[in-house]
Amino acid sequence: MMIGRENQQANNLFFTCSLIEYIARKTKNKRTDTVDGLGRVAIEKIYDLADVYHSDNIETVSDDFIEKSGLTVGSYDNVSAAKYAVPSYWDIGKVYKRLILGIAAKKNLPIVDALFEAYHSFVSEKIDDYNSSFYYEAPQNILNAFLDGEIE
């Protein structure tokens, strides 16, 4: 079903990825560690109920998931390490959403499986390096890097 410009699946994925980014920044953890710390069950819940969570304050939603998952504060702070303007957690959520949709389509995977593949790939570290220009590459270039296992 279409609501607005995106289908519900893409919109739910966008919120899920943005919340992962928000939680990762708040807890100063790498995105891979954040995904692993939240776990598959919580990520599936976020994805399935994204339209509900999106109506709530993201601060409250993130606190609930941080507490339930027992995520602790780490030392990874790519935001402070950035020398230039830092993209918003919504901006990075959109980058991951596009990558995950591409992975799911190319590899014929369920969305949450594709999400785990994306966050556990070398591409995730490249996206999270705000001192590089990789995160604002064309979505197809980011997907190709993932699929080819290298950055051209």
Side-chain angles (χ1 to χ4, degrees), residues 4-147:
R5 297 184 330 184
E6 286 191 317
N7 67 34
Q8 192 67 42
Q9 175 189 32
N11 202 33
N12 285 2
L13 182 59
F14 167 62
F15 178 78
T16 302
C17 294
S18 298
L19 182 62
I20 289 168
E21 181 66 20
Y22 189 89
I23 290 170
R25 290 180 185 194
K26 191 171 186 172
T27 61
K28 293 185 175 15
N29 282 297
K30 289 189 174 195
R31 304 326 177 242
T32 305
D33 297 334
T34 303
V35 166
D36 290 344
L38 289 168
R40 179 173 290 273
V41 171
I43 288 173
E44 286 173 347
K45 182 177 181 179
I46 294 165
Y47 177 66
D48 290 340
L49 299 174
D51 54 337
V52 175
Y53 291 129
H54 196 88
S55 306
D56 289 338
N57 178 314
I58 196 163
E59 185 79 19
T60 305
V61 174
S62 68
D63 283 347
D64 289 346
F65 279 100
I66 290 166
E67 187 179 321
K68 285 177 188 163
S69 67
L71 269 172
T72 56
V73 175
S75 59
Y76 181 75
D77 192 356
N78 61 335
V79 173
S80 291
K83 297 175 187 153
Y84 312 106
V86 175
S88 73
Y89 53 91
W90 299 116
D91 292 334
I92 297 300
K94 189 182 296 181
V95 172
Y96 276 106
K97 175 201 76 174
R98 291 173 175 158
L99 173 61
I100 293 162
L101 289 173
I103 292 169
K106 287 282 188 187
K107 297 180 97 179
N108 197 22
L109 291 173
I111 290 296
V112 174
D113 290 350
L115 180 148
F116 273 86
E117 284 208 19
Y119 281 101
H120 285 91
S121 72
F122 80 98
V123 171
S124 181
E125 287 188 30
K126 298 296 182 189
I127 291 169
D128 296 335
D129 179 0
Y130 303 148
N131 293 321
S132 82
S133 60
F134 187 74
Y135 70 88
Y136 60 84
E137 285 278 336
Q140 189 62 49
N141 291 350
I142 295 173
L143 176 60
N144 288 343
F146 171 87
L147 294 170

